[in-house]
Amino acid sequence: MKTKFKISSIILSLAIILGSCDNMNLNLSSTGLTYSGEGEAVIIRGQLVTSYNMMISRDGIFAEPYWGTIGCCDTDEGFRNGVSTNVNILNAHNINTGTSQLTRLWQKVWQGNEAATNVLSMLKTVEDMDEEEMKEIRGEALVLQAFYHFFAAVNWGPVPIKTIATFDIPTGKTELERRPVKEVLQFALDNCREAVGLLPEISKHNTTARISKSAAEALSYRIALYMASHPDIQDISKYDEIVKWADEFIANGPNKLNTRPIEVNGEKLPAYASLFVNNMADNQDWNPTSNPEGIWDVVFYCKSQTSGIYANLDYEAVMRLGRDMGVPCADDQSNSPIGYADMTYRASNNLYNSYTDFNDGLDYPKGDLRRDWNIPTYCYKYKSNENIAAGYSVQTRFKYFDILLPKTVSCVKEAVVLPVFDKEKWDNSDNGAPVKGFYIEDGGEGYTYTKNGLTTFSITIPKTASNLTSMAFYDEEKGAIIGYTPGTSQDDKAVGYQKINTKNSSSDVIITFTDGKMTDLQLTAGATSIGSNFPAAHGRGVGKWRREYEVNLPSERQKDYTSCNFPILRFADVLLMAAEAHLMSSTGDRTKGLEYLNMVRRRAYGVDVYSQNSYVDFSELMLSIIQDERMRELCFEGVRRTDLLRWGLYTTEDPSKNAIKRFLEENPNHVNINYPIKQMELQFQKFQTLPIPSLEISSAPNTMWQNPGW
């Protein structure tokens, strides 16, 4: 096999590399690094910032590719909506070796590595930098170099190990050996472990924007776990190393889980949401009390180069979290208090069902707070410049499924009722199949029939008439079951009211209450559904990062861009990785691993993370449980595809282990989902790796080869 190739597009001339350092006093990164001082030291600092910035610059890794394009879409957690044969993008699975998006991603990875390599090279001779700063910058550069090599190997397979700066390579000696994935990952792992001894604790800078000892630790676990578990590597000794490293870090490191519920704008949010609210608020502060969970975030420090304090500078706002992946909101006005979001990326029904046991909680406990945070139960409908009816506002949340009881029924706490869809009758719309039944997840409290004070009684919500187009025509004596879908439609019969998109138009619904709790809902005899078009998970969007918590910079909100930060590593991931290592290691302690797993789980239910809980806790440490829990906890954070690859579950001929086949089974007959997924299903092995860009092959036709299937 040919073993060498020339990386033409990643080789930057020294003039280009240093050309961005003209303004030496401008802070270009929220890492806290600045271009200051004179001589080689300032160039080194500038190159370190450049390496960080390859993650956030236009088309940088975290601008969209990691969390959207390849990181989490088309697994069993999410998908990109509306792709077809006409869309030449990575997650449509119809790319070719010349696709520009692919080429730019490849270039950003190697340009980021080049800058880190430059730092390591120049540190060997620098004279105008103190020893402590040199150690810290070396540690950061080693971790950045490790991350870029890990990212490249996971996505492209065998790649070079590039440790020599281009300006140190002799003229004409630009061919680099393509090394096996195991060797590349061992290099990256060695980098991280060396960096652990060089870097300060995260408490030194109190920010998740800058690489600390915690980041080096956590990234080393991710790399080692990939090496231990991937079927083509199976370096199982790495499990033992992770156990040793992670136990020490978990016991003594500064990072912990966020466990305090937070209150924002008068609303109490679960502790799980805290980190993501901080992300959207562009808050990268690390704090041992309020945000001990954060380890390493990619920080998007501006959202516009056309207005505000970053106007006319060459630093574009590229983050679209909250916009492409966010709670649906039609308000595209610059003064929107919520922020526009169009559901480009969506949750899958697989993910929703992983939080929900429709068998009355026998197989999965009710009450996982992560579900309704990650997959929202509502959308926003109004625009700031629209006429809005009295009692409503731009901030009004419109529920996807809402049971409106007659005014003769009161309660202390509302029940939580979920629609049960007939998935065999799915259509090609963004909504759900017909609702064939109901699942009472929480019966509520204090239901009373106010006419006679009874707490055990039944009522009937009659089939709604066609004139119930909006709440302007709601009959509070009868009640109704209604739902909204994302969009801008207002009711043309009642100006200012949002249109009700669906309702119980096919059947009466009989509701029974027993001792003040809702205990049963039934369709009338012979009815097969209450109606269609109630949105299922795949029609709801993603709620992990919500633009209503965005900090506007500049003052006028940008429709399409946010300054949302993105978590590369956080402490919950460390706990889950350590749990898996304890399960698989010959030196592992399953009791300890189970405790790590249950700490994450307890936080998800809002209970004390350090106390055993018979309702919440898993009773046994099993790989399948860890695999599902990682999906529930880390969904949309760009790690699911990597996880599935290393477990051998991404694309495999065994249908019982194939995440893509499971995806199709839970989302039948939906063209916007099935096109890209079926493209992958037809060519399992091809999609284990991305293709090498044709630009690279053409630059070294005698030494380069393409990945299988491409």
Side-chain angles (χ1 to χ4, degrees):
M1 178 177 287
K2 299 170 183 176
T3 59
K4 294 187 177 182
F5 68 100
K6 180 166 61 178
I7 309 180
S8 63
S9 65
I10 70 171
I11 294 178
L12 307 176
S13 71
L14 185 59
I16 294 174
I17 292 171
L18 304 183
S20 63
C21 301
D22 292 339
N23 189 342
M24 296 301 183
N25 296 311
L26 177 64
N27 184 354
L28 297 177
S29 171
S30 292
T31 60
L33 287 163
T34 58
Y35 296 139
S36 60
E38 298 178 351
E40 197 171 16
V42 70
I43 298 174
I44 290 172
R45 297 183 192 110
Q47 280 296 279
L48 189 62
V49 171
T50 298
S51 186
Y52 275 106
N53 280 354
M54 287 304 103
M55 298 182 179
I56 65 173
S57 59
R58 184 173 179 83
D59 301 310
I61 295 172
F62 290 93
E64 184 179 350
Y66 199 73
W67 54 261
T69 302
I70 58 175
C72 62
C73 279
D74 305 339
T75 66
D76 44 5
E77 63 179 359
F79 68 101
R80 178 166 179 154
N81 188 57
V83 295
S84 68
T85 56
N86 297 322
V87 183
N88 187 222
I89 54 177
L90 289 172
N91 50 18
H93 304 307
N94 59 0
I95 62 170
N96 55 56
T97 60
T99 297
S100 59
Q101 185 187 45
L102 171 74
T103 302
R104 288 195 301 268
L105 180 60
W106 171 269
Q107 290 172 335
K108 295 300 181 185
V109 169
W110 292 110
Q111 288 168 358
N113 180 73
E114 181 73 13
T117 303
N118 291 341
V119 170
L120 295 171
S121 177
M122 289 186 285
L123 282 173
K124 297 174 183 177
T125 59
V126 66
E127 296 179 353
D128 54 341
M129 184 180 290
D130 69 63
E131 186 175 346
E132 283 304 308
E133 184 182 11
M134 286 177 62
K135 284 176 57 179
E136 185 170 347
I137 287 181
R138 176 173 174 79
E140 290 177 86
L142 286 169
V143 173
L144 286 163
Q145 199 179 54
F147 175 82
Y148 286 121
H149 278 85
F150 175 65
F151 185 90
V154 167
N155 289 295
W156 281 286
V159 293
I161 299 176
K162 190 174 191 304
T163 61
I164 302 176
T166 298
F167 55 71
D168 286 335
I169 297 176
T171 303
K173 303 292 185 180
T174 56
E175 291 192 351
L176 300 175
E177 183 180 359
R178 194 175 186 186
R179 309 299 292 274
V181 170
K182 182 177 180 179
E183 289 186 24
V184 178
L185 297 186
Q186 185 63 57
F187 162 76
L189 180 60
D190 291 343
N191 265 26
C192 288
R193 297 315 303 174
E194 180 183 348
V196 167
L198 298 171
L199 289 163
E201 299 287 357
I202 195 170
S203 55
K204 176 182 178 180
H205 300 293
N206 288 319
T207 178
T208 58
R210 192 166 180 179
I211 292 168
S212 65
K213 180 178 293 187
S214 295
E217 285 279 0
L219 183 58
S220 75
Y221 311 157
R222 182 174 288 178
I223 296 168
L225 201 56
Y226 193 92
M227 297 178 70
S229 56
H230 195 285
D232 294 338
I233 303 176
Q234 294 186 323
D235 185 354
I236 61 174
S237 65
K238 293 296 189 291
Y239 289 125
D240 301 341
E241 294 183 287
I242 297 169
V243 165
K244 179 180 63 177
W245 298 330
D247 279 355
E248 172 70 18
F249 180 58
I250 292 168
N252 302 314
N255 293 94
K256 306 293 179 186
L257 286 177
N258 289 342
T259 58
R260 295 184 175 185
I262 60 173
E263 187 169 306
V264 184
N265 301 331
E267 181 181 16
K268 192 173 183 179
L269 304 176
Y272 174 74
S274 176
L275 187 139
F276 311 111
V277 172
N278 279 335
N279 287 161
M280 185 53 73
D282 194 21
N283 177 10
Q284 65 269 16
D285 294 342
W286 182 88
N287 185 288
T289 302
S290 62
N291 186 34
E293 184 169 352
I295 292 178
W296 183 15
D297 293 341
V298 176
V299 174
F300 288 79
Y301 48 92
C302 70
K303 66 174 63 178
S304 176
Q305 66 168 4
T306 59
S307 61
I309 66 173
Y310 292 100
N312 302 316
L313 297 177
D314 191 26
Y315 294 92
E316 296 186 68
V318 292
M319 180 48 90
R320 294 168 70 91
L321 269 180
R323 191 274 189 208
D324 289 358
M325 186 182 281
V327 178
C329 179
D331 194 358
D332 57 2
Q333 308 301 302
S334 62
N335 60 342
S336 168
I338 301 299
Y340 179 79
D342 72 352
M343 300 198 313
T344 299
Y345 294 98
R346 305 186 181 191
S348 74
N349 297 309
N350 307 58
L351 176 62
Y352 186 88
N353 291 341
S354 77
Y355 297 109
T356 312
D357 177 16
F358 291 98
N359 189 25
D360 200 27
L362 295 177
D363 299 318
Y364 190 80
K366 303 175 183 178
D368 191 326
L369 301 173
R370 296 172 298 190
R371 184 192 67 197
D372 290 351
W373 179 261
N374 293 328
I375 309 171
T377 59
Y378 60 86
C379 60
Y380 294 100
K381 300 284 288 184
Y382 291 118
K383 289 189 176 185
S384 300
N385 60 354
E386 287 180 332
N387 186 17
I388 301 174
Y392 294 83
S393 74
V394 180
Q395 293 99 325
T396 299
R397 295 174 175 178
F398 292 89
K399 293 182 179 180
Y400 294 126
F401 181 82
D402 199 7
I403 297 177
L404 304 174
L405 296 175
K407 70 175 184 178
T408 52
V409 178
S410 64
C411 73
V412 175
K413 174 188 172 186
E414 287 189 359
V416 177
V417 180
L418 309 179
V420 177
F421 295 98
D422 185 352
K423 70 177 185 180
E424 299 305 320
K425 298 180 180 178
W426 232 250
D427 60 24
N428 286 335
S429 73
D430 291 336
N431 304 316
V435 174
K436 64 179 181 180
F438 307 93
Y439 173 60
I440 301 176
E441 192 168 60
D442 182 341
E445 296 176 5
Y447 279 99
T448 304
Y449 193 61
T450 56
K451 287 186 176 181
N452 53 25
L454 292 176
T455 58
T456 298
F457 59 97
S458 293
I459 62 167
T460 297
I461 294 181
K463 181 172 63 175
T464 52
S466 59
N467 66 351
L468 183 56
T469 53
S470 71
M471 289 302 291
F473 304 102
Y474 170 61
D475 186 344
E476 62 181 9
E477 298 288 341
K478 295 180 179 179
I481 299 176
I482 65 170
Y484 296 87
T485 55
T488 60
S489 176
Q490 288 197 338
D491 186 5
D492 56 6
K493 298 179 182 179
V495 176
Y497 283 89
Q498 287 291 340
K499 185 179 291 184
I500 293 173
N501 299 93
T502 187
K503 48 191 177 274
N504 62 313
S505 57
S506 301
S507 175
D508 297 349
V509 176
I510 303 166
I511 306 179
T512 301
F513 301 87
T514 305
D515 295 330
K517 293 183 178 293
M518 186 181 294
T519 53
D520 191 35
L521 293 90
Q522 293 290 334
L523 281 62
T524 50
T528 58
S529 76
I530 65 166
S532 298
N533 297 324
F534 291 92
H538 69 260
R540 296 184 179 187
V542 174
K544 201 159 200 173
W545 294 274
R546 306 184 179 199
R547 291 195 71 175
E548 60 193 278
Y549 307 120
E550 183 179 10
V551 174
N552 293 329
L553 201 176
S555 57
E556 285 200 355
R557 186 191 296 274
Q558 300 289 302
K559 173 189 171 184
D560 292 327
Y561 298 113
T562 73
S563 56
C564 182
N565 302 330
F566 187 86
I568 305 178
L569 294 159
R570 58 187 179 92
F571 191 68
D573 191 4
V574 168
L575 289 170
L576 293 172
M577 289 190 288
E580 185 175 345
H582 272 286
L583 172 65
M584 305 302 291
S585 170
S586 60
T587 61
D589 180 340
R590 293 197 174 195
T591 300
K592 183 177 286 187
L594 183 61
E595 178 63 13
Y596 293 159
L597 173 66
N598 282 329
M599 287 171 64
V600 175
R601 185 169 177 78
R602 291 168 197 151
R603 197 265 297 271
Y605 283 80
V607 300
D608 184 358
V609 300
Y610 301 109
S611 300
Q612 293 184 357
N613 188 299
S614 59
Y615 177 73
V616 167
D617 286 0
F618 291 113
S619 59
E620 185 178 1
L621 190 64
M622 298 173 59
L623 184 59
S624 60
I625 291 174
I626 295 171
Q627 289 169 342
D628 287 345
E629 195 65 11
R630 284 185 65 81
M631 177 171 68
R632 298 183 191 106
E633 176 69 22
L634 303 171
C635 57
F636 310 115
E637 294 180 41
V639 300
R640 185 62 175 173
R641 178 178 177 271
T642 301
D643 278 346
L644 292 171
L645 280 169
R646 67 180 180 82
W647 290 322
L649 300 179
Y650 185 48
T651 53
T652 173
E653 299 298 336
D654 184 348
S656 66
K657 297 181 179 180
N658 189 314
I660 304 307
K661 287 189 177 295
R662 293 198 305 270
F663 193 110
L664 289 170
E665 289 170 0
E666 292 297 324
N667 303 272
N669 306 318
H670 193 291
V671 68
N672 288 339
I673 297 173
N674 283 10
Y675 171 77
I677 296 299
K678 285 192 172 181
Q679 288 290 103
M680 182 187 295
E681 183 190 23
L682 293 172
Q683 304 173 78
F684 288 127
Q685 292 305 314
K686 175 178 179 178
F687 289 101
Q688 298 289 322
T689 57
L690 297 175
I692 304 295
S694 56
L695 177 64
E696 296 303 327
I697 295 177
S698 64
S699 71
N702 297 317
T703 58
M704 185 56 169
W705 73 93
Q706 187 54 269
N707 283 332
W710 296 100

Short mmCIF file of all heavy atoms in Angstrom, two decimals, residues 276-312:
data_model
loop_
_atom_site.label_atom_id
_atom_site.label_comp_id
_atom_site.label_asym_id
_atom_site.label_seq_id
_atom_site.Cartn_x
_atom_site.Cartn_y
_atom_site.Cartn_z
N PHE A 276 -25.52 24.96 30.00
CA PHE A 276 -25.94 25.35 28.66
C PHE A 276 -26.50 26.77 28.64
O PHE A 276 -26.37 27.48 27.64
CB PHE A 276 -26.94 24.33 28.12
CG PHE A 276 -26.45 22.92 28.30
CD1 PHE A 276 -27.06 22.07 29.19
CD2 PHE A 276 -25.32 22.48 27.62
CE1 PHE A 276 -26.58 20.79 29.40
CE2 PHE A 276 -24.84 21.20 27.81
CZ PHE A 276 -25.46 20.35 28.71
N VAL A 277 -27.09 27.20 29.76
CA VAL A 277 -27.48 28.60 29.88
C VAL A 277 -26.24 29.48 29.87
O VAL A 277 -26.20 30.52 29.22
CB VAL A 277 -28.32 28.82 31.16
CG1 VAL A 277 -28.55 30.31 31.40
CG2 VAL A 277 -29.66 28.09 31.05
N ASN A 278 -25.20 29.04 30.58
CA ASN A 278 -23.93 29.77 30.55
C ASN A 278 -23.35 29.83 29.14
O ASN A 278 -22.83 30.86 28.71
CB ASN A 278 -22.91 29.10 31.49
CG ASN A 278 -23.11 29.48 32.93
OD1 ASN A 278 -23.64 30.53 33.24
ND2 ASN A 278 -22.69 28.62 33.84
N ASN A 279 -23.41 28.70 28.41
CA ASN A 279 -22.94 28.68 27.03
C ASN A 279 -23.65 29.75 26.20
O ASN A 279 -23.00 30.53 25.50
CB ASN A 279 -23.21 27.33 26.38
CG ASN A 279 -22.31 26.21 26.86
OD1 ASN A 279 -22.63 25.04 26.70
ND2 ASN A 279 -21.18 26.53 27.46
N MET A 280 -24.97 29.79 26.30
CA MET A 280 -25.73 30.73 25.47
C MET A 280 -25.51 32.17 25.91
O MET A 280 -25.57 33.09 25.08
CB MET A 280 -27.22 30.36 25.49
CG MET A 280 -28.08 31.19 24.57
SD MET A 280 -27.50 31.26 22.84
CE MET A 280 -27.94 29.62 22.28
N ALA A 281 -25.24 32.37 27.17
CA ALA A 281 -24.99 33.72 27.68
C ALA A 281 -23.55 34.16 27.45
O ALA A 281 -23.14 35.22 27.93
CB ALA A 281 -25.32 33.79 29.17
N ASP A 282 -22.78 33.34 26.71
CA ASP A 282 -21.38 33.66 26.44
C ASP A 282 -20.59 33.83 27.73
O ASP A 282 -19.72 34.68 27.85
CB ASP A 282 -21.29 34.93 25.58
CG ASP A 282 -19.90 35.14 24.99
OD1 ASP A 282 -19.15 34.15 24.89
OD2 ASP A 282 -19.56 36.28 24.64
N ASN A 283 -20.94 33.00 28.71
CA ASN A 283 -20.28 33.05 30.01
C ASN A 283 -19.35 31.85 30.15
O ASN A 283 -19.80 30.72 30.29
CB ASN A 283 -21.34 33.03 31.13
CG ASN A 283 -20.72 33.02 32.52
OD1 ASN A 283 -19.51 33.21 32.68
ND2 ASN A 283 -21.55 32.79 33.52
N GLN A 284 -18.06 32.10 30.08
CA GLN A 284 -17.08 31.02 30.18
C GLN A 284 -16.38 31.00 31.54
O GLN A 284 -15.35 30.34 31.70
CB GLN A 284 -16.03 31.13 29.07
CG GLN A 284 -15.15 32.37 29.14
CD GLN A 284 -15.72 33.53 28.36
OE1 GLN A 284 -16.89 33.53 27.99
NE2 GLN A 284 -14.89 34.52 28.08
N ASP A 285 -16.96 31.68 32.53
CA ASP A 285 -16.35 31.71 33.86
C ASP A 285 -16.44 30.34 34.52
O ASP A 285 -17.51 29.71 34.52
CB ASP A 285 -17.04 32.75 34.74
CG ASP A 285 -16.83 34.17 34.26
OD1 ASP A 285 -15.89 34.38 33.47
OD2 ASP A 285 -17.60 35.06 34.66
N TRP A 286 -15.31 29.89 35.07
CA TRP A 286 -15.32 28.68 35.89
C TRP A 286 -15.38 29.10 37.34
O TRP A 286 -14.66 30.01 37.77
CB TRP A 286 -14.07 27.84 35.65
CG TRP A 286 -14.10 26.56 36.45
CD1 TRP A 286 -14.66 25.38 36.07
CD2 TRP A 286 -13.58 26.37 37.77
NE1 TRP A 286 -14.52 24.44 37.07
CE2 TRP A 286 -13.85 25.02 38.13
CE3 TRP A 286 -12.91 27.17 38.68
CZ2 TRP A 286 -13.48 24.47 39.37
CZ3 TRP A 286 -12.54 26.64 39.91
CH2 TRP A 286 -12.82 25.31 40.23
N ASN A 287 -16.26 28.45 38.10
CA ASN A 287 -16.44 28.81 39.49
C ASN A 287 -16.67 27.54 40.30
O ASN A 287 -17.50 26.72 39.91
CB ASN A 287 -17.63 29.76 39.63
CG ASN A 287 -17.80 30.29 41.04
OD1 ASN A 287 -18.21 29.56 41.93
ND2 ASN A 287 -17.52 31.57 41.23
N PRO A 288 -15.97 27.34 41.41
CA PRO A 288 -16.12 26.10 42.17
C PRO A 288 -17.48 25.91 42.79
O PRO A 288 -17.83 24.80 43.22
CB PRO A 288 -15.03 26.22 43.25
CG PRO A 288 -14.77 27.68 43.38
CD PRO A 288 -14.97 28.25 42.00
N THR A 289 -18.27 26.97 42.82
CA THR A 289 -19.61 26.88 43.41
C THR A 289 -20.70 26.89 42.36
O THR A 289 -21.56 26.01 42.32
CB THR A 289 -19.86 28.05 44.40
OG1 THR A 289 -18.84 28.03 45.41
CG2 THR A 289 -21.23 27.93 45.04
N SER A 290 -20.67 27.88 41.46
CA SER A 290 -21.78 28.05 40.52
C SER A 290 -21.58 27.32 39.20
O SER A 290 -22.54 27.03 38.50
CB SER A 290 -22.00 29.54 40.24
OG SER A 290 -20.84 30.13 39.66
N ASN A 291 -20.33 27.05 38.81
CA ASN A 291 -20.09 26.33 37.56
C ASN A 291 -18.83 25.47 37.65
O ASN A 291 -17.85 25.68 36.94
CB ASN A 291 -19.97 27.30 36.38
CG ASN A 291 -19.85 26.56 35.04
OD1 ASN A 291 -20.44 25.50 34.85
ND2 ASN A 291 -19.09 27.12 34.12
N PRO A 292 -18.84 24.45 38.55
CA PRO A 292 -17.66 23.59 38.67
C PRO A 292 -17.57 22.53 37.57
O PRO A 292 -16.55 21.87 37.44
CB PRO A 292 -17.87 22.93 40.04
CG PRO A 292 -19.35 22.87 40.20
CD PRO A 292 -19.87 24.13 39.55
N GLU A 293 -18.64 22.37 36.77
CA GLU A 293 -18.68 21.28 35.80
C GLU A 293 -17.89 21.56 34.53
O GLU A 293 -17.32 20.65 33.92
CB GLU A 293 -20.13 20.96 35.43
CG GLU A 293 -20.26 19.77 34.50
CD GLU A 293 -21.69 19.30 34.36
OE1 GLU A 293 -22.58 19.79 35.08
OE2 GLU A 293 -21.94 18.42 33.52
N GLY A 294 -17.86 22.80 34.11
CA GLY A 294 -17.19 23.13 32.86
C GLY A 294 -15.71 22.81 32.90
O GLY A 294 -15.03 23.08 33.89
N ILE A 295 -15.19 22.24 31.81
CA ILE A 295 -13.77 21.92 31.71
C ILE A 295 -13.12 22.67 30.55
O ILE A 295 -12.15 23.39 30.72
CB ILE A 295 -13.56 20.40 31.55
CG1 ILE A 295 -13.95 19.68 32.86
CG2 ILE A 295 -12.10 20.08 31.19
CD1 ILE A 295 -13.83 18.16 32.79
N TRP A 296 -13.69 22.51 29.35
CA TRP A 296 -13.14 23.20 28.18
C TRP A 296 -14.27 23.54 27.24
O TRP A 296 -14.98 22.66 26.77
CB TRP A 296 -12.09 22.32 27.49
CG TRP A 296 -11.41 22.98 26.32
CD1 TRP A 296 -11.39 24.31 25.99
CD2 TRP A 296 -10.62 22.33 25.31
NE1 TRP A 296 -10.66 24.53 24.85
CE2 TRP A 296 -10.17 23.33 24.41
CE3 TRP A 296 -10.26 20.99 25.08
CZ2 TRP A 296 -9.38 23.03 23.30
CZ3 TRP A 296 -9.49 20.71 23.97
CH2 TRP A 296 -9.04 21.71 23.10
N ASP A 297 -14.46 24.83 27.01
CA ASP A 297 -15.45 25.33 26.05
C ASP A 297 -14.76 26.00 24.89
O ASP A 297 -13.73 26.67 25.06
CB ASP A 297 -16.38 26.38 26.69
CG ASP A 297 -17.29 25.80 27.76
OD1 ASP A 297 -17.48 24.58 27.78
OD2 ASP A 297 -17.80 26.60 28.58
N VAL A 298 -15.33 25.86 23.71
CA VAL A 298 -14.94 26.71 22.59
C VAL A 298 -15.75 27.99 22.72
O VAL A 298 -16.97 27.95 22.81
CB VAL A 298 -15.24 26.02 21.24
CG1 VAL A 298 -14.91 26.96 20.10
CG2 VAL A 298 -14.41 24.76 21.11
N VAL A 299 -15.06 29.12 22.74
CA VAL A 299 -15.71 30.39 23.06
C VAL A 299 -15.88 31.23 21.80
O VAL A 299 -14.90 31.54 21.11
CB VAL A 299 -14.89 31.16 24.11
CG1 VAL A 299 -15.47 32.55 24.35
CG2 VAL A 299 -14.87 30.37 25.42
N PHE A 300 -17.11 31.59 21.52
CA PHE A 300 -17.44 32.48 20.40
C PHE A 300 -17.71 33.85 20.98
O PHE A 300 -18.76 34.12 21.53
CB PHE A 300 -18.65 31.94 19.64
CG PHE A 300 -18.33 30.71 18.84
CD1 PHE A 300 -18.24 29.47 19.46
CD2 PHE A 300 -18.11 30.78 17.49
CE1 PHE A 300 -17.93 28.34 18.74
CE2 PHE A 300 -17.79 29.65 16.75
CZ PHE A 300 -17.70 28.42 17.39
N TYR A 301 -16.72 34.72 20.85
CA TYR A 301 -16.73 35.95 21.62
C TYR A 301 -17.41 37.11 20.92
O TYR A 301 -17.51 38.18 21.48
CB TYR A 301 -15.30 36.33 22.00
CG TYR A 301 -14.32 36.29 20.85
CD1 TYR A 301 -14.08 37.42 20.09
CD2 TYR A 301 -13.66 35.11 20.53
CE1 TYR A 301 -13.19 37.38 19.04
CE2 TYR A 301 -12.77 35.07 19.48
CZ TYR A 301 -12.53 36.21 18.73
OH TYR A 301 -11.66 36.16 17.68
N CYS A 302 -17.84 36.95 19.67
CA CYS A 302 -18.61 38.01 19.01
C CYS A 302 -19.58 37.36 18.05
O CYS A 302 -19.45 36.19 17.70
CB CYS A 302 -17.70 38.99 18.29
SG CYS A 302 -16.90 38.32 16.81
N LYS A 303 -20.58 38.10 17.66
CA LYS A 303 -21.56 37.55 16.74
C LYS A 303 -21.75 38.38 15.48
O LYS A 303 -22.57 38.05 14.63
CB LYS A 303 -22.91 37.39 17.44
CG LYS A 303 -23.55 38.71 17.83
CD LYS A 303 -24.94 38.51 18.39
CE LYS A 303 -24.89 37.68 19.65
NZ LYS A 303 -26.22 37.52 20.22
N SER A 304 -21.00 39.45 15.35
CA SER A 304 -21.16 40.26 14.15
C SER A 304 -19.88 41.03 13.85
O SER A 304 -19.23 41.54 14.76
CB SER A 304 -22.31 41.26 14.31
OG SER A 304 -22.40 42.09 13.18
N GLN A 305 -19.54 41.11 12.59
CA GLN A 305 -18.44 41.98 12.17
C GLN A 305 -18.97 43.18 11.41
O GLN A 305 -18.20 43.97 10.88
CB GLN A 305 -17.45 41.21 11.32
CG GLN A 305 -17.98 40.76 9.98
CD GLN A 305 -16.87 40.26 9.08
OE1 GLN A 305 -15.72 40.18 9.47
NE2 GLN A 305 -17.22 39.92 7.85
N THR A 306 -20.29 43.32 11.35
CA THR A 306 -20.87 44.45 10.62
C THR A 306 -21.42 45.52 11.55
O THR A 306 -21.69 46.63 11.13
CB THR A 306 -22.02 43.96 9.71
OG1 THR A 306 -23.02 43.31 10.50
CG2 THR A 306 -21.49 42.99 8.67
N SER A 307 -21.62 45.19 12.83
CA SER A 307 -22.10 46.17 13.80
C SER A 307 -21.57 45.82 15.17
O SER A 307 -21.07 44.72 15.39
CB SER A 307 -23.63 46.21 13.81
OG SER A 307 -24.16 44.95 14.18
N GLY A 308 -21.68 46.77 16.11
CA GLY A 308 -21.19 46.50 17.45
C GLY A 308 -19.69 46.72 17.56
O GLY A 308 -19.04 47.24 16.66
N ILE A 309 -19.11 46.26 18.66
CA ILE A 309 -17.71 46.60 18.94
C ILE A 309 -16.72 45.87 18.04
O ILE A 309 -15.55 46.23 17.99
CB ILE A 309 -17.36 46.32 20.42
CG1 ILE A 309 -17.43 44.81 20.72
CG2 ILE A 309 -18.25 47.09 21.35
CD1 ILE A 309 -16.92 44.48 22.11
N TYR A 310 -17.17 44.82 17.34
CA TYR A 310 -16.28 44.10 16.44
C TYR A 310 -16.49 44.49 14.97
O TYR A 310 -16.00 43.81 14.08
CB TYR A 310 -16.43 42.59 16.61
CG TYR A 310 -15.93 42.10 17.95
CD1 TYR A 310 -16.82 41.84 18.98
CD2 TYR A 310 -14.57 41.94 18.18
CE1 TYR A 310 -16.37 41.40 20.22
CE2 TYR A 310 -14.10 41.50 19.41
CZ TYR A 310 -15.01 41.24 20.43
OH TYR A 310 -14.55 40.80 21.65
N ALA A 311 -17.22 45.56 14.73
CA ALA A 311 -17.48 45.99 13.36
C ALA A 311 -16.18 46.30 12.63
O ALA A 311 -15.24 46.87 13.20
CB ALA A 311 -18.38 47.23 13.36
N ASN A 312 -16.14 45.87 11.37
CA ASN A 312 -15.02 46.15 10.46
C ASN A 312 -13.73 45.40 10.81
O ASN A 312 -12.67 45.72 10.29
CB ASN A 312 -14.74 47.66 10.39
CG ASN A 312 -15.96 48.43 9.93
OD1 ASN A 312 -16.64 48.03 8.99
ND2 ASN A 312 -16.26 49.52 10.62
#
